[in-house]
Amino acid sequence: MAWRGQLSRNLKELRILLCQSSPSSSSARAFVENNYKDLKSLNPKLPILIRECNGIQPQLWARFDMGVERGIRLEGLSEVQISKALEDLVKVGTALKA
């Protein structure tokens, strides 16, 4: 889980979009509840934005250098799969810097 501490090195911003009540966002809500504090304490200067909107499909967006953004739909993913998707975005950020 060392990649969690490298978020701020590879990302400029992390956005999580979810619905407060829909079943499709339940895993995204659980991910935020269980991981936000840890991610923020390891990356205190990284903007981690949680955007709640009624009826929206859950998504994870990462902004990298030069305004490059990548998004992943989270519908149907478990909390573990969402963590893996975030890890993959950190790897993308590493590759973009190289």
Side-chain angles (χ1 to χ4, degrees):
M1 297 270 192
W3 61 268
R4 289 175 171 254
Q6 297 178 1
L7 285 177
S8 57
R9 290 187 191 123
N10 298 312
L11 304 178
K12 295 296 180 189
E13 177 183 274
L14 179 65
R15 287 188 313 272
I16 301 172
L17 290 73
L18 52 87
C19 176
Q20 308 94 311
S21 58
S22 73
S24 64
S25 290
S26 62
S27 293
R29 286 191 305 271
F31 177 80
V32 170
E33 289 171 7
N34 296 327
N35 295 283
Y36 177 84
K37 185 177 178 180
D38 183 44
L39 291 173
K40 193 61 180 176
S41 66
L42 292 171
N43 303 280
K45 294 186 180 185
L46 177 70
I48 301 176
L49 309 174
I50 311 302
R51 299 293 184 234
E52 296 178 325
C53 180
N54 192 27
I56 195 168
Q57 297 299 317
Q59 301 173 33
L60 178 67
W61 285 89
R63 186 168 50 87
F64 304 99
D65 285 332
M66 307 295 285
V68 175
E69 290 191 352
R70 299 279 161 84
I72 298 173
R73 290 181 168 240
L74 303 178
E75 187 174 7
L77 298 182
S78 69
E79 189 178 340
V80 172
Q81 290 170 319
I82 293 171
S83 183
K84 175 67 173 131
L86 179 55
E87 181 180 2
D88 291 343
L89 287 173
V90 171
K91 291 177 183 175
V92 167
T94 304
L96 288 173
K97 285 189 164 204

